[in-house]
Amino acid sequence: MNIQDKTVISAHELLAPDSHGNSSVKYILLALCVLAALLVPVVVKDPSHQNLAILILMAAQLGVAWNIVGGYAGQVSLGHVAFYGLGAYTSTLLLTQWGFNAWVAMLCGGILSAAISLIIGWSCFRLNGHYFGMATIAVAEIIQIIFTNWEYAGAAVGLTLPMDQQGWGSMIFTDKAPYYYIALGLLLLTLAVNYWIEHSYLGYYFRAIKDEPDAARSLGINLSRYKQIAFAVSSFFTAIGGSLYAQKELYIDPGSVLHTGLSIKMALVSILGGVGTLLGPVIGAGVLTFIEEGTRALFGGSGRGTDLVIYAALIVVIAVYYPTGVMGWIKQFFARRKAVKAQKEQDVQEAKREAA
Amino acid sequence: MSLEIIIQTLASGILIGLIYALVAIGLTLIFGVMDIVNFSHGEFLMFGMYSSFWMYSLFALDPMFTLPLTALFLFALGTLLYKLIIKKITNAPMLSQIFTTFGLMMLFRGLAQFFWKPDFRTVDHSIVSGAVQVFGIQVGMPQVTAGVGAILVTMGIYLFLTKTRAGAALEATAADKEAAQLMGIDSQKMFAMAWGIGAACAGVAGALLSTFFPIFPEVGANFILIAFVVVNLGGFGSVIGALFAGIIVGVIEVMGGFLIGPQYKLALVLGLFLAVLMFRPQGLMGKQ
Amino acid sequence: MSLLRVESVSKRFGGITANQDVSFEVGAGKIVGLIGPNGAGKTTMFNCIAGYAPPTTGEIWMNDIKVSGMSPEQCARAGIGRTFQVARTFTSMTALENVMVGAFLINKNVGDARQSAARLLSFVNLGQFRDKPAGSMTISEQRRLAVARALAVKPRLLLMDEVMAGLNPTEVRETVDVVLKIREEGISCLIVEHVLEGIMPIADAIVVLDYGKKIAEGSPEQVSRDPKVIAAYLGDE
Amino acid sequence: QQEIKIGVIYPLSGAAASSGSEMKNALELAADIVNNGAKTVPNLPFSAGGGLPNLKGAKIKLVFADHQGNPQIGATETERLITQEKVVAIVGAYFSNVTATSSQVAEKYKIPYVNPESSSSTLTQRGFKWFFRTTAHDDLFVHNFFDFFKELEAKKGIKVKQLATFNENTLWGNETTKLETKLAAEKGYNLVKTIVYPAKSTQLTSEVQQLKSANPQVVMQSSYLGDAIMSMKTYKELGFSPEMILANNAGFTDTEFRRTLGKDADYVITREVWSPDLAKNNPLIKQVNDLYNSKYKADFTGNSSRTFTGLMTLVDAINRAASTEPEAIRKALVETNIPANKLIMPWKGIKFDEHGQNVLGSGILVQIIDGKYNTVWPFDLATKDVVWPMPKWDQRK
Amino acid sequence: MLQVRNLRVSYDGVLALSKVDIDVEKGKIVALVGGNGNGKSTTLRAIAGLNAADAGQIVFDGKPLDKTPACKRVGLGLSLVPEGRRIFARLTVERNLQLGAYTRKDENEVAESIDTMYSLFPILKERRYQLAGTMSGGEQQMLAIGRGLMAKPKMLLLDEPSWGIAPKFVTKVLDTIQLINQQGMSILLVEQNLHKALAIAHHGYVIQTGRIVMQGTGQDLLNNEDVKKAYLGV
Ligand SMILES: Nc1ncnc2c1ncn2[C@@H]1O[C@H](COP(=O)(O)OP(=O)(O)OP(=O)(O)O)[C@@H](O)[C@H]1O
Ligand SMILES: Nc1ncnc2c1ncn2[C@@H]1O[C@H](COP(=O)(O)OP(=O)(O)OP(=O)(O)O)[C@@H](O)[C@H]1O
Ligand SMILES: [Mg+2]
Ligand SMILES: [Mg+2]
């Protein structure tokens, strides 16, 4: 079964000094990006645009979290929404039923999700490729069914967060800006953890497991332990993303936080940007959200689903023509330039040799 | 639970299970040959249903008579789809393949809605209608026809794969595309054929379903998850596995729904599926 | 003192017996060749020792640790390194990164791992391929890379499955040198090889399998004179 | 000339798109009547055309948005409508869960939100100030069922004792089940079976088997179209003949339901809010329905008529406010008092309580006979006598 | 029989072959030798059509092949036993052999050929219903050779046929090659067992970093000092 991602590139490679200028330039660029991101709510006043920015950040954060297990470790989970929903439900219940501080509730949701991911991983990691993907879908569906029927969690009716308890303790605001900063902070945190993983031995282990699990074992790597680590970290951050959703929309139900399409979207974001790369999901989230919101704003009122048709067509075109995502495309671009150069040199040398 | 109810639920479960199997066989075939999970398979089913519906509503042709046409139409659609799109992602990473077929799923649904409106359509009078009485239980005639059709098609596909040269070539291509080429097998043709046959299976399932199931752009969604479970349970790539798994899933769903409560019937099927995977990670009849 | 002890190991796959009651030892710092006709059960024996396919009966000991029944990763931690008959490199990584993955077992620090990996690459004469993606190396290069990778976990015993296949005599020589250097590091080697020019001159002992059974054991000279071995394996030349 | 932008948010794509497009039609008709007039319906407010008289003939402009049945998209789109399109009020959003999130956004921005057709009773229990619902909600509809049973016994001597509920597993089905269970207990009925089933099933055999073995007199059912059709087919196939199927609107009031099932759809009673035969008591209904029919080749349905009414109510408020200021519109909405004869609904009028709920709305029950919906309850509005029990499957011709 | 002219092949822009010229006359064995990674396999793959040529021509049996896809070349009588076996792991041994004869129509003849393969490699007969992937490395190699022969090609391209084969059998394999050659099949052979390969070859080419650097009769090359030093380890 061919599930390896042959065309994958590492961010390390992409950001390597030789391909993108030297590394201090890189850091300055990075700092500028963060600064720009911090200024968005100050510059963009329109709440609807701010909302768009938040949606991008949230989608990016989910993509980055998914990427840890789906991209780096190559365990294509198609049921990540389970953790998203668990996070959203846990924090909301703790907040509304137990009066928890929202931040603590959020953390609890993350920890609970990570713990549950260990159980799921324990049973599913023996499965290969598509079987694993399907098993995760099944788990997510089961969790959705449970929540749809669980009275305490509001069953199909869902849960509402109290809009009147505003403030940082309950993480409920009328303004968009606080949500924006929370989403940004969360994204940066997830990226930082991801970056750290990628550059530590874990990142190497994950990629090794993805490429050749059998060979990885011969090097003393306990496959399920490291898959578990990837899965747990990933589900922790996914759950936190779910909590943030609940805090922002103030209403959750199984249809909105446990919907299978969302799992796919988390993966799409990564794929679109470049699987197994640090910044790929961020770029992917930007592109996807723009396509999504753009087509809906432009064609959504027609009543014939034109927006969906265009959105879907775009996805297909991107998947077919840019299978390695934006990052892969960038890399290919540079690689081709390099190759053309090398070819020329080779030809020149050949000509010289011929002449000699 | 009386004996009558047991037999009745069993019969209903088997009949719906056969339909699941037929949908799943197309999926498993495409997967087996190309290693691609076709998320848009439910939409093939939907196209099959619409094909039957339109021939019925425009020309008053019964879905049973137009079934071969529907199969042919879907075969053409499958091969065309392969040539236009899937061909380009044959060697792409698994994730972009998922991405592509998922996009196709949305695209097909969108197109169906765009052209045929989101309304529910039905074939209200077909030559197969009413119910038959067997062993003291009632079973719907359309369901029985569909079940028989599903068995026939499955057997046909199985014989085709195991007994014919083209079947062997398909298997070889599935195993190693490049090596198959070295045997003189045109792998492009094989892939196109796999998509054609896979789509045709879904088309036939659609035609059979159209006599008793409402037709609407999103109808594929009702079947696709179960079809995936069936494919997995049977083992990716195994036609006979899909047949058995389909029946098992159908029976569990109906029986479980009756005994435990309908709201948990899908959970039950999924739970069983996970349990089986724990012991047989490659599915019931899958190859390791 | 022997490092590895294989004690009457049998391995069956359904009706096929791949190994039957095989016993032998590998001494510390020794090179032992495991030879035999195709299908004699050599690779299977490797899989038993390295934990990939537990023996049906019999035991395998590494010093005082019973490794039969342990998982591959536990075997690796117990000091058994291996290469595969099919190279199985991490194709999306560079040569250096491949070796680093191995090095992390000893030291989780990335910088240290990079250094020791670079050393090992030069050790197997792949220094110039440092940053080449492993997927685009030839099969024989990948095998040598696999040797470096296996060495990175600092094994006390290295199992090498046909690392000299597909090499021309000059390249075989180079590889032999690498094996000798490995022994100098104090690492024992158990080598499956059909390229006898490569294994016979350097082996301290040879074990011969045929149809899963051990048919001969001894020094290379003894074994190559053994009529049973000639009949089953060497052919009369 | 001023243009008044009103945001409307409905499921225009996805699973519920067909209902969505129907409601979109109704809204466009309403807007057209207000802006361009309609001579055939002189009694309908604003049918003179020429926009809103109190706003110097300002025309209304509908800005459509599609929420795809997704609560998050609903919220996002509502925000877009408010901040980008600068609409003065919102009408939406059909699905109760989407209405929940999108009305929350409107509440935050202090923009009036008129909800013509979401039936979850919780929506008006949130203490919102900007939320107004013109339709009656599930609570009331379920009460209607039990009132019907009581009157059935009192006036027709038909005794109903054994009930079963058969509702789909969504917000709507769940709330309905809860209420039905509660009321059955309170009013002394014997609830022999409570089934919640997952929507979008591929088959309903086990559910019907359960019903059959519980053997209730009446099945109270909530299903959308696909499931409604499939359940009827399964009833027939398995020979399940309760005395009555008392449906809770949705799939059972869809035109396709009758078309597909033909005779097999007969005798089912379903809760409705509107029916063309009501024209007997209120000529306005026929006039407006004819207009709609001439334009879209279909009759109004419970949904489209309510949506129409919702927008007309909002327009009435804006006109009375004589301003496009949200606060002024809200005030006008609070003071709404539209009499029954200005409506195309069988309601006593429109008047909101402090929660924004119209207290004068109500439901009706219609029975399908010979492929047509006939109002059978309230008895004083009935156009046909109720047929009870429905004949067994094997005794129909 | 086969003329390769000015062949140039690259992987992702990196040149693997440049200006390769090779001729194989009808009924001859031609050996292609060279060190690791010098482009031997690439040459064979390009001839078989698995790798697209950037430039150059391949003419087989008088017919230029540049437009012919790999699968059609088999029908013309050109068959490759690829490096690394590439047998169909999940199919049985016998099914593998049958597939080797995919382009042949006459079923009886095919059955006969299978028997021939079984007599050539008895282990295959013993394991005919075993899944090919569970065979030992060397067994798989034999199966790969047998499968290549099943096409009854006019010309056989062999990429390291003795890879992983026991010494006793290597001789047998090379003998077999000579035998089928004597029955009229042309052969282009890549083999690291230089002594044996050049001993049976009528003609040989030496390839280095993607270009042909030397050619001559098998014996000439064996005696050549440079070859001895570079490849024979003398
Ligand atoms: N999973 C398996 N199932 C069935 N038979 C197997 C399996 N693995 C190996 N065998 C059989 O066991 C025997 C020994 O195989 P093994 O791979 O150990 O041989 P080997 O000595 O390494 O041969 P070679 O030199 O050709 O690589 C072979 O006949 C093979 O067909
Ligand atoms: N799939 C590939 N992608 C990129 N580069 C490749 C690929 N296959 C081979 N190469 C490169 O092409 C060159 C020639 O490789 P080739 O396999 O033809 O060599 P060879 O002579 O057959 O070597 P060996 O004796 O190891 O089989 C090598 O430098 C190799 O790295
Ligand atoms: Mg072996
Ligand atoms: Mg080669």
Side-chain angles (χ1 to χ4, degrees), chain B residues 195-214:
Chain B
W195 278 83
I197 298 176
C201 281
V204 171
L208 292 169
L209 269 175
S210 70
T211 59
F212 65 98
F213 207 82

Side-chain angles (χ1 to χ4, degrees), chain C residues 37-44 85 161-162 192 194, chain E residues 85 135-138 164:
Chain C
N38 294 118
K42 306 179 294 293
T43 301
T44 306
Q85 197 164 352
D161 200 351
E162 300 198 30
V192 166
H194 290 300
Chain E
R85 292 147 199 167
M135 306 252 287
S136 85

Side-chain angles (χ1 to χ4, degrees), chain B residues 3 7 37 47 58 80 110 136 150-151 164-165 168 179 182 214 218 221 245 247-248 253 267 287:
Chain B
L3 186 68
I7 299 174
V37 173
F47 283 137
L58 296 179
L80 193 73
I151 293 181
T164 66
R165 237 167 69 92
L182 291 176
E218 314 238 327
I247 296 174
I248 293 172
E253 193 189 27
K287 297 164 188 164

Side-chain angles (χ1 to χ4, degrees), chain D residues 1-4 34-35 50-53 55-60 324:
Chain D
Q1 194 183 15
Q2 200 185 351
E3 209 173 43
I4 302 167
V34 174
N35 290 340
L52 303 186
L55 276 156
K56 302 190 195 97
K59 303 250 156 116
I60 56 173
T324 53

Side-chain angles (χ1 to χ4, degrees), chain C residues 19-41:
Chain C
N19 290 127
Q20 195 177 348
D21 204 23
V22 180
S23 305
F24 65 89
E25 297 186 350
V26 178
K30 293 280 192 289
I31 295 175
V32 175
L34 186 59
I35 64 174
N38 294 118

Side-chain angles (χ1 to χ4, degrees), chain C residues 178-222:
Chain C
V178 171
V179 175
L180 290 174
K181 276 199 285 181
I182 292 173
R183 179 170 63 181
E184 271 165 35
E185 304 271 310
I187 300 168
S188 310
C189 298
L190 180 60
I191 301 178
V192 166
E193 201 52 75
H194 290 300
V195 181
L196 298 180
E197 309 87 278
I199 179 74
M200 288 310 203
I202 55 169
D204 299 300
I206 297 281
V207 175
V208 188
L209 296 182
D210 186 25
Y211 283 108
K213 283 188 233 151
K214 187 171 83 178
I215 55 167
E217 183 173 11
S219 69
E221 299 78 48
Q222 282 170 338

